[in-house]
Amino acid sequence: GTYGQIIGEFGPAITLTAGIRVDIHTIYGVQNSPRAAAVFAPDDEPYHIKFMYSSSFKPPSAEQLFTEPIKQFDIAGNRKLEAQKADNVELAVGYNFGEIGEVEVNGFVTKINGRVEYIQHDLYLNAENAVDETLMGAELAGRLRPAPFFMARLGMGLAQITKQEVDEAFALFGTEEIPSTFPPLQVHLLTEFKEPKNDIRLTPEISYVSKRSSTQSNSLQAFGAYTFDAYFYMAISASAPEFYLARNHPTRVAVRVTDLLASQSEEPGFNGIDYPVLGRQGWLTVTQGF
C-alpha cells in the first residue's frame, strides 16, 4: 500500500489538507481510502474550526475467514466475506481561554457498510457482512486550570445508531435490529492537585460508562440479547518529588490504584465469553536515573 498527502496554507488562518491511502490486497484488490480536512484558526483569535472527512477499509481477520470449527457454536470461516468500509464526517469547534484552559466540541456522522456480525448456520457461527448502519454522536474535551495547584480534564462522548439495515439472514432468528456493543455515553473526569514548591502530585479520576449490549454471537448462544449494567470507575495516583539517593542521579516514586469501587463489571466478548474488569489493582513505580 501507499499513502500520499498534500497540505496548503491560504493566508494566516486557513489550512487545507487532502490525502489518500491505497491498499493493494491479495483478496480484496485495490482499495482507495481518501480523506480531507479544512482548518480555520486565526492567529489573533482564541477559537478554531475544523472540518474533516475520512474513509477506511478494514479486511476481515484470519479467524473470520479461515477458522475450522471444533465444537457447537464455534466460528466457521467464511471465505466469501467482504471487507468493511466506513465514511466519517466531523465538525469541531475549539476555544482557548489562555492559561485558564481550553475546550473543544465536535459532532460526527459515521456510515459503516458491511459491518461484520456472526450468524448461526446449522451448528456453527459464520461471520457475515450483515449490517449497514449510520451513527451520530458528539464529543467534548476540556481542560481547566483555575489555580497553579489545581487542574481538571473532562472528556465526554455520546454516540447513537440512527439508521440500521440488517441482512435478511437475521430475520430467520427474529432479529430486526442489532444493538450496539459500545456504550452510548461515556464521561471521564481527571483532576490533579499539585504542591508547587515540592512537586507533590495527587491525581484522582472517575469515569462513567453507560449500559452496553451483548455481541451477536453471545446473544445467539444465550438465546437472546442481554445488557451489561452501567458502572463508575475510579482510580487515584500520587507521585513524590524528585530526590537523590546518589549524587546527580534522580530518583522518582509514584503510586497508582485502579478500580477503587471494585465495579465488577464486564465488557462484551465473543464465542460465549464476556470479559470481566480486572478489579482493584495497585502499582508502585520507582524510577532511578543514571
Side-chain angles (χ1 to χ4, degrees):
T2 185
Y3 175 73
Q5 178 173 279
I6 184 170
I7 301 174
E9 295 184 356
F10 300 85
I14 299 176
T15 303
L16 302 180
T17 302
I20 186 168
R21 169 175 165 161
V22 180
D23 290 89
I24 304 173
H25 199 280
T26 56
I27 298 177
Y28 301 106
V30 178
Q31 300 287 335
N32 298 314
S33 302
R35 54 200 65 186
V39 178
F40 180 66
D43 292 336
D44 54 351
E45 298 291 345
Y47 62 86
H48 64 264
I49 302 172
K50 302 177 184 178
F51 176 81
M52 292 156 281
Y53 164 77
S54 60
S55 60
S56 61
F57 153 75
K58 182 182 179 183
S61 66
E63 177 190 60
Q64 295 168 339
L65 288 170
F66 308 119
T67 300
E68 292 292 339
I70 298 175
K71 57 181 177 59
Q72 184 177 358
F73 292 123
D74 272 359
I75 296 171
N78 177 8
R79 295 172 183 262
K80 296 181 180 180
L81 196 62
E82 296 294 330
Q84 294 180 133
K85 296 183 179 181
D87 294 281
N88 184 75
V89 176
E90 184 174 350
L91 177 65
V93 178
Y95 195 91
N96 192 312
F97 298 95
E99 295 183 358
I100 296 178
E102 65 268 347
V103 64
E104 183 174 270
V105 179
N106 72 64
F108 64 87
V109 179
T110 300
K111 177 70 167 65
I112 301 173
N113 295 309
R115 198 185 93 193
V116 174
E117 287 288 347
Y118 290 99
I119 301 176
Q120 183 177 353
H121 290 288
D122 298 324
L123 298 178
Y124 307 118
L125 302 177
N126 286 115
E128 302 277 359
N129 298 103
V131 187
D132 293 337
E133 64 185 12
T134 302
L135 299 90
M136 296 183 67
E139 297 174 337
L140 180 147
R143 179 186 66 87
L144 179 66
R145 187 180 289 277
F149 62 86
F150 176 75
M151 185 272 293
R153 293 183 182 273
L154 175 66
M156 183 171 65
L158 293 166
Q160 188 69 44
I161 296 174
T162 57
K163 183 180 179 181
Q164 191 176 76
E165 298 177 6
V166 180
D167 190 273
E168 293 180 357
F170 279 100
L172 298 174
F173 304 97
T175 303
E176 297 180 355
E177 180 178 341
I178 301 176
S180 62
T181 56
F182 59 83
L185 172 64
Q186 297 185 70
V187 181
H188 307 284
L189 175 64
L190 181 147
T191 58
E192 180 185 81
F193 299 88
K194 177 182 177 181
E195 199 284 306
K197 290 185 179 180
N198 298 312
D199 196 25
I200 299 173
R201 299 171 187 253
L202 181 67
T203 310
E205 54 189 273
I206 184 170
S207 299
Y208 170 78
V209 180
S210 64
K211 292 182 177 181
R212 293 89 59 221
S213 176
S214 57
T215 59
Q216 180 69 14
S217 64
N218 282 10
S219 297
L220 286 171
Q221 295 196 36
F223 301 103
Y226 54 94
T227 59
F228 301 89
D229 292 336
Y231 67 93
F232 285 93
Y233 179 90
M234 292 185 65
I236 190 167
S237 304
S239 61
E242 186 176 275
F243 61 95
Y244 293 85
L245 294 176
R247 187 176 181 181
N248 298 325
H249 300 297
T251 304
R252 301 177 180 87
V253 178
V255 177
R256 178 173 173 80
V257 180
T258 60
D259 199 10
L260 290 170
L261 299 177
S263 57
Q264 298 182 343
S265 179
E266 290 184 313
E267 296 296 337
F270 300 91
N271 204 23
I273 299 173
D274 292 315
Y275 307 119
V277 174
L278 290 176
R280 191 179 294 115
Q281 300 180 80
W283 289 268
L284 172 64
T285 303
V286 180
T287 306
Q288 177 63 56
F290 292 98

